[in-house]
Amino acid sequence: MATLIDGKKISQEIKDELKEKVAKLKEDGISISLAVIQVGNNPASTVYVGNKKKACAYVGIESLAYELPEETTEEELLQLVQELNEKKEVNGILVQLPLPGHIDEDKVIQAISPAKDVDGFHPQSVGALSIGQKGFVSCTPAGIIELLKRSGIAIDGKECVIVGRSNIVGKPMALLLLRENGTVTVCHSHTADLKEVTRRADILVVAIGKAKMIDADYIKEGAVVIDVGMDRDENGKLCGDVDFESAKEKAGAITPVPGGVGPMTIAMLMNNCVESALMQK
Ligand code: GUN
């Protein structure tokens, strides 16, 4: 029976540490602000953005909300990003994805100043990560590293297998695990024998967006299983990419959904905002 990795509890610890740090900075006259831009009203995005604003309020970071209509043009959005880049009092800029189809996401991400790229999505941030230079790191994979470290799970020398190769999770996850001296394999939809590869993992990170796809059969006895999925099961209930009930019987440690990786993403966003303000001052 696996140990539960409690992301909710660990993220709360991080937010409490940051809250203290932010209060001390305030005494020194340093305040922190994050601009959060949402275009249109995708219901999932509204929930995520709401959670980010709530975390800002808790930690003591001012959130500046820009709720733009669905019809906003790419030019208007780029103009806003440019204005926020130039505003000294804005430390971080976050454009919630996905954007409406008529807006080129890559163009918008590239318009954000790398100094304010608290999501870590800018090509300069990703490039810096890949060659071991300083820069913002995508919050979900950064949160997973923190989750492992704070749970006392060693990465050095371990077989790390990632299922999924997205720009936001899979690829930066591979780079971060490599930086921690893991032996890293990335699987994807063209992997010939997925089970054969995932069964080698000491640490298995799953980010594929398919409800309950990874069951005990894919897992080595005692492995650490990190579930990045946010899916709905056949009854419409929130679940992950891992079949938790089956996997927990074989894994050594496992993250639940909800309450695993999700809250860590937001805690790391708060951390990036604090870092961003410190670097700018
Ligand atoms: N949409 C889903 N996850 C994220 C995220 O981490 N950042 C942004 N900006 N949009 C998202």
Side-chain angles (χ1 to χ4, degrees), residues 191-243:
T191 298
D193 188 348
L194 183 61
K195 261 184 209 174
E196 188 272 319
V197 185
T198 59
R199 277 185 192 148
R200 285 189 230 145
D202 299 312
I203 298 172
L204 179 63
V205 180
V206 187
I208 40 178
K210 282 205 179 120
K212 299 185 181 179
M213 189 185 138
I214 301 297
D215 62 16
D217 229 20
Y218 290 79
I219 297 167
K220 179 169 84 175
E221 189 79 44
V224 175
V225 178
I226 306 291
D227 188 353
V228 187
M230 277 284 230
D231 315 305
R232 298 272 167 191
D233 70 8
E234 57 283 5
N235 303 314
K237 202 173 149 231
L238 195 63
C239 70
D241 293 345
V242 175
D243 181 351

Side-chain angles (χ1 to χ4, degrees), residues 37 66 68 75-85:
I37 305 171
Y66 293 86
L68 310 181
E75 207 175 8
E76 286 166 334
L77 181 56
L78 290 170
Q79 173 74 32
L80 172 62
V81 169
Q82 197 49 45
E83 282 167 21
L84 295 169
N85 280 341

Side-chain angles (χ1 to χ4, degrees), residues 82-103:
Q82 197 49 45
E83 282 167 21
L84 295 169
N85 280 341
E86 286 161 16
K87 267 195 180 157
K88 261 208 153 86
E89 62 275 23
V90 171
N91 305 110
I93 302 170
L94 182 148
V95 180
Q96 187 65 27
L97 305 178
L99 289 168
H102 64 276
I103 299 178

